Amino acid sequence: NSIVEGGRPYRPTLEDLHNQNTFQAPQKRRGSNRLGGDSEAPQLRGKIVKFGWIKGVYMPCLLNIWGVMLFLRLTWVVGQAGLLQSIIIVCFSNVVTTITTLSMCAVATNGKIKAGGAYYMISRALGPEFGGSIGFMFTIANSIASATYIIGFCDSLKDMCSNYWGAIIIDGTVNDTRVIGVATLILMLALAIVGLEWVTRVQILLLFLLIGSQINLVIGLFIGPKSTEEQAMGYTGFNGAIMSENWSPEYRYSEGQQQSFFSVFAVFFPAVTGIIAGANMSGDLKDPGTAIPKGTLAAILTTFITYIIYPIMVSAAVVRDATGNITQLDLSDNATAESQVAYTSCTKESSAEAEYCYRGLQNDFQVMTLVSGYGPLIYAGCFGATLSSAIASLVGGPRVLQALAKDRLYPGIHIFEVGYGANNDPVRGYMLVFVISFVCIMIGDLNVISSLLSNFFLASYCLINFSCFHSSLINVPGWRPAFKYYNKWVSLLGGILCVLVMFAIDWITALITFGIILGLYTFVSYRKPDVNWGSSTQAQIYISALKSTQDLMQVEEHVKNFRPQ
């Protein structure tokens, strides 16, 4: 039976029941939202900060999903795939993340979830082998991702300085990225060490910056082109003929390869992979079982609406190709929309006969800046998107590492289990992530491993789906999630879709990811960690043994197979 805890029912965990002869519900300490009864309580001093579903889950997920892709590559996706297939790409991407979120909500509401986010959920559901693999990969992926976001911030800052002021920061080379990136990383480390309360305040500021830049974008699209220069760059304002022309796909050679539906999908999909940013903060939530489902699903719905609306608006206002040459404009009353944007006088390939198209949806990554009401505010949105994602990675990765260290699945990792302050902040984990990110920033270009990072996150999504499916399939007695809006076969479909997306992004990095998981799984399995979490894999062993015993009753004895019983 549930025991009343502070006026509401509290269901003890199996660990509580096994380790205590008489279980008592933990009591709240005065002046705190944290429940007592844990071994670290005597060491905690100061104000303990716990977040609800808005600040703890909804905001981090919004800030991660509204990434730099929204401002720099969404228009390119529309130019390549056309409006119809762009909407299909957005919808399919959100189907994968929504199914994964439903599975995650089921796992998160099955008992009391502690710190560790995705690692904690997968390890307790599928066992230490799977959990240890994902936990280690997730820490490394967040460390490198933090560096990639900071590099993206540096690139946006350099572009803004060059386009608006014609200035260079140091020498216009990768050294600019290194200096700005390291300075930004140091400031983020200081912010993380100061505490989550200040991190949340900065994230609120960045969220307002992101929302403001999007409002600025919508206002600019409704105002229309403000000068003939903008018209020459391909911005017509809302025009049905332009939307009709942009309806169908026109895949071309770009980014070093001939583009196709799947290659463009691979470019877009990482934009929606921030769904577990809130779950990674599970140890800092007041009620993870309520906050994770509510906050994550609300963030997916909000971002899905924007990722559908903006392609529709942009496809109706900007052409695929333009030169930016004002002299080619035809501003007569009988001019067509195409001639008004110098569309027909440029070529899609370099040629001596005609001017090359370097403006428009297909050719210019700064289209959002062109169509907005105030261009620099779009750069501010890019800054907010990159910095917020970098902060989330810098703060979330060490918390997963801390949970992994407490379970001691790998040798020597226990040094990262120590926490500091009232919120048990993983300062040592911060320092490790800082060092890895520092090395990556000094490299200066991480495009080569960007697909590997996406595959790391997709692997964790796949296992979240599989853990929900497996627990439901074998009817584990302890599988009683409070979240009921899931289905085991839908979860299985979500896991399969994650694998397919991994290979669609890059089959080589997908194989590398599976190889790393297999290696880490084998290592943890070989060490045989002394843990007993009641995982579904344990239940599967029992069910298989019981079924084999029942099948044995139907086997007739034979002298050649006789054994004493």
Side-chain angles (χ1 to χ4, degrees), residues 3 23 26 72 96 207 239-240 243 269 281 287 369 371 381 387 429 482:
I3 298 175
F23 177 77
L72 296 183
V96 175
L207 180 60
N239 188 305
M243 187 176 186
F269 185 81
M281 306 298 292
D287 185 1
T369 305
V371 303
L387 292 177

Side-chain angles (χ1 to χ4, degrees), residues 229-281:
E229 288 82 359
E230 291 186 354
Q231 287 181 289
M233 292 179 184
Y235 182 25
T236 67
F238 290 130
N239 188 305
I242 300 300
M243 187 176 186
S244 176
E245 185 177 334
N246 289 331
W247 177 259
S248 301
E250 189 173 322
Y251 295 110
R252 304 178 189 169
Y253 187 87
S254 178
E255 301 294 300
Q257 63 175 336
Q258 174 61 40
Q259 298 296 331
S260 64
F261 176 85
F262 291 104
S263 64
V264 174
F265 171 79
V267 170
F268 174 79
F269 185 81
V272 298
T273 56
I275 59 173
I276 57 178
N280 287 336
M281 306 298 292

Side-chain angles (χ1 to χ4, degrees), residues 216-217 220-221 226 230 367-376 378:
N216 170 56
L217 170 65
L221 283 165
K226 299 176 286 297
E230 291 186 354
V367 169
M368 290 293 195
T369 305
L370 170 68
V371 303
S372 65
Y374 181 62
I378 294 297

Side-chain angles (χ1 to χ4, degrees), residues 258-546:
Q258 174 61 40
Q259 298 296 331
S260 64
F261 176 85
F262 291 104
S263 64
V264 174
F265 171 79
V267 170
F268 174 79
F269 185 81
V272 298
T273 56
I275 59 173
I276 57 178
N280 287 336
M281 306 298 292
S282 57
D284 299 288
L285 301 176
K286 295 176 182 177
D287 185 1
T290 301
I292 292 175
K294 189 183 297 185
T296 309
L297 289 172
I300 289 177
L301 178 61
T302 304
T303 54
F304 172 70
I305 292 173
T306 58
Y307 276 123
I308 288 292
I309 291 177
Y310 296 152
I312 295 175
M313 298 179 71
V314 170
S315 67
V318 185
V319 297
R320 280 192 167 104
D321 301 284
T323 63
N325 190 342
I326 302 177
T327 61
Q328 295 180 351
L329 281 174
D330 182 1
L331 300 178
S332 63
D333 293 337
N334 297 325
T336 63
E338 289 82 358
S339 62
Q340 285 179 345
V341 294
Y343 175 79
T344 57
S345 299
C346 69
T347 178
K348 301 162 190 175
E349 305 292 341
S350 297
S351 171
E353 289 78 18
E355 190 169 352
Y356 180 64
C357 297
Y358 65 97
R359 296 292 186 179
L361 297 175
Q362 287 272 22
N363 315 294
D364 186 8
F365 291 152
Q366 300 297 334
V367 169
M368 290 293 195
T369 305
L370 170 68
V371 303
S372 65
Y374 181 62
L377 194 54
I378 294 297
Y379 281 103
C382 292
F383 299 159
T386 52
L387 292 177
S388 61
S389 299
I391 291 173
S393 298
L394 184 64
V395 172
R399 278 168 165 72
V400 175
L401 176 63
Q402 186 181 40
L404 182 64
K406 287 181 179 180
D407 294 334
R408 305 197 175 193
L409 301 184
Y410 296 100
I413 201 175
H414 63 277
I415 62 174
F416 295 104
E417 69 176 298
V418 179
Y420 297 89
N423 272 69
N424 200 32
D425 292 322
V427 177
R428 296 181 181 179
Y430 291 153
M431 300 306 298
L432 176 64
V433 172
F434 173 84
V435 171
I436 297 175
S437 299
F438 175 82
V439 172
C440 293
I441 290 173
M442 296 307 292
I443 294 173
D445 184 7
L446 300 177
N447 290 333
V448 178
I449 61 173
S450 59
S451 60
L452 186 62
L453 295 180
S454 298
N455 275 313
F456 278 7
F457 291 118
L458 278 166
S460 65
Y461 297 171
C462 177
L463 288 179
I464 289 174
N465 281 301
F466 182 72
S467 61
C468 179
F469 163 74
H470 195 249
S471 298
S472 303
L473 180 68
I474 64 178
N475 290 322
V476 179
W479 176 250
R480 293 173 293 168
F483 184 84
K484 302 298 182 182
Y485 303 102
Y486 72 96
N487 179 275
K488 61 185 176 183
W489 301 113
V490 174
S491 296
L492 177 62
L493 174 63
I496 295 173
L497 289 177
C498 288
V499 174
L500 293 177
V501 171
M502 290 174 67
F503 281 93
I505 291 177
D506 189 343
W507 67 272
I508 296 178
T509 55
L511 292 177
I512 293 174
T513 302
F514 282 118
I516 294 173
I517 293 176
L518 180 60
L520 294 173
Y521 180 96
T522 305
F523 179 78
V524 176
S525 180
Y526 174 77
R527 292 192 74 236
K528 292 182 174 58
D530 186 18
V531 295
N532 184 12
W533 295 326
S535 63
S536 61
T537 50
Q538 286 178 299
Q540 181 67 61
I541 293 174
Y542 173 81
I543 291 175
S544 299
L546 183 61

